[in-house]
Amino acid sequence: PRPVTAATLSCRRYVAGGQCKSTAKLEGKVVIITGANTGIGKETARDLARRGKVVVACRDIAKAEAAASEIRAETGNQQVIVKKLDLADTKSIREFAERFLAEEKELHILINNAGVMLCPYSKTADGFEMHLGVNHLGHFLLTFLLLERLKQSAPARIVNVSSLAHHGGRIRFHDLHGEKSYNRGLAYCHSKLANVLFTRELARRLQGKSQRRAEFTANALHPGSVHSELVRHSFVMTWLWKVFSFFLKTPWEGAQTSIYCAVAEELDSVTGQYFSDCQPAYVSPRGRDDETAKKLWSVSCELLGIQWD
């Protein structure tokens, strides 16, 4: 093996990015993390399981059970619970919410982490383009269904995992489901922009409803370029990820900003913001467009057949 030089170490430290320093405990608190059976979701669950009760919400139950039992053994916390959730199917989302609400009286933190990336063209069970359907509409519906429980449990936080890729996105209202033209890289960017706009509009609406701003927050984040399974649909990206793995964050490093947004005390009254490396980050002009955010909200409600005022 090559000797580790100072330059190599400092480069690696730069790639690793920010780290969540908060030691906040979540005793008696309940957290839901979607897609927590692998990658940054699993590392987020591992950290938060050292602090409180974690619900691992995943499509692949076998994989989720394996991850949860590993986390239970490592943290000594038996309150790491697996529940089935398929974000590509609104029926599954509704069933998950119904079961959760029947079993849990409180919910303090919702981390909308799960996502798909670079999928060949396909549609969800409800006919939505897969990136938009899973990354945006699935989490939009889940948040809507759990919102009252979050409000009852306030102070509460909603954390949406977006991406730097939102800079390349635009909301194509004339072709939301990519039926006229489809590019899987751009479809991913569009869905990540939708996450940022959803966070912005959600925070605006929640602030209007709450007397105390600190009661309820919604923030988005970019986890960094992380060596994870997210690129599995692309042979080229999988190969590039292997070749350049030194310049990518580990899943643990990638989870730091999600953890920070979930627990950091200094964010108690911060809402509608976008973070990267555990600090505020630049949002693209399209991600700051309130008119588009409002329109996306009403179109999302229409597609999902819900009324969310």
Side-chain angles (χ1 to χ4, degrees):
R2 287 187 210 154
V4 178
T5 64
T8 306
L9 278 173
S10 67
C11 176
R12 191 68 205 89
R13 268 198 296 273
Y14 175 76
V15 168
Q19 205 173 315
C20 178
K21 301 281 197 290
S22 170
T23 56
K25 288 286 173 215
L26 300 174
E27 278 145 21
K29 296 201 170 179
V30 182
V31 183
I32 290 177
I33 308 171
T34 66
N37 57 357
T38 183
I40 66 171
K42 183 177 172 185
E43 292 305 325
T44 305
R46 196 193 306 273
D47 180 285
L48 297 186
R50 293 193 173 95
R51 304 171 193 254
K53 181 173 184 172
V54 175
V55 175
V56 173
C58 299
R59 191 188 55 193
D60 187 333
I61 288 290
K63 215 171 175 183
E65 284 293 2
S69 88
E70 181 191 311
I71 292 168
R72 282 184 215 115
E74 195 180 307
T75 61
N77 181 2
Q78 295 312 300
Q79 294 214 295
V80 180
I81 294 153
V82 172
K83 291 193 190 297
K84 186 170 174 63
L85 170 67
D86 182 355
L87 288 158
D89 184 351
T90 57
K91 185 167 174 278
S92 170
I93 299 168
R94 289 180 180 278
E95 282 169 1
F96 168 86
E98 211 174 290
R99 277 198 314 273
F100 176 85
L101 294 172
E103 291 164 21
E104 299 289 345
K105 294 299 157 236
E106 293 194 301
L107 173 59
H108 304 88
I109 300 168
L110 171 62
I111 303 180
N112 290 319
N113 162 82
V116 293
M117 181 180 180
L118 304 173
C119 304
Y121 188 74
S122 56
K123 287 187 170 180
T124 68
D126 303 87
F128 309 140
E129 185 277 315
M130 192 60 74
H131 293 90
L132 186 81
V134 171
N135 298 354
H136 168 60
L137 291 169
H139 283 126
F140 187 95
L141 178 61
L142 180 66
T143 307
F144 167 75
L145 295 170
L146 298 174
L147 197 71
E148 281 312 309
R149 188 57 43 93
L150 281 156
K151 279 182 182 167
Q152 291 158 12
S153 312
R157 298 186 187 192
I158 295 167
V159 178
N160 294 324
V161 179
S162 178
S163 167
L164 184 69
H166 85 270
H167 286 272
R170 51 189 303 201
I171 307 300
R172 302 166 71 246
F173 289 109
H174 66 287
D175 188 23
L176 267 184
H177 304 296
E179 288 159 332
K180 293 176 186 162
S181 71
Y182 180 74
N183 173 299
R184 54 191 184 168
L186 287 176
Y188 176 71
C189 295
H190 303 332
S191 71
K192 293 288 108 181
L193 173 60
N195 293 153
V196 171
L197 290 168
F198 168 45
T199 306
R200 188 177 181 87
E201 181 63 8
L202 177 61
R204 189 187 69 79
R205 287 164 175 257
L206 293 175
Q207 259 181 283
K209 295 274 183 342
S210 170
Q211 296 308 302
R212 297 208 317 279
R213 188 173 174 219
E215 271 193 348
F216 210 158
T217 64
N219 290 300
L221 67 105
H222 167 54
S225 298
V226 181
H227 199 282
S228 73
E229 292 177 19
L230 197 57
V231 294
R232 64 185 173 274
H233 293 293
S234 165
F235 170 77
V236 174
M237 288 293 280
T238 304
W239 179 78
L240 285 170
W241 250 224
K242 276 197 180 116
V243 171
F244 295 105
S245 62
F246 180 80
F247 298 102
L248 297 171
K249 290 186 177 188
T250 64
W252 181 84
E253 289 160 355
Q256 294 304 304
T257 308
S258 295
I259 298 161
Y260 174 75
C261 288
V263 302
E265 298 88 340
E266 63 266 34
L267 299 189
D268 274 348
S269 59
V270 174
T271 191
Q273 300 302 305
Y274 171 76
F275 294 86
S276 176
D277 283 327
C278 301
Q279 57 189 6
Y282 179 73
V283 178
S284 76
R286 284 196 182 114
R288 286 178 269 130
D289 186 330
D290 289 331
E291 286 317 303
T292 304
K294 285 172 190 158
K295 187 174 176 184
L296 178 65
W297 185 282
S298 64
V299 169
S300 300
C301 287
E302 214 173 290
L303 288 168
L304 293 162
I306 59 175
Q307 278 190 301
W308 189 356
D309 298 321

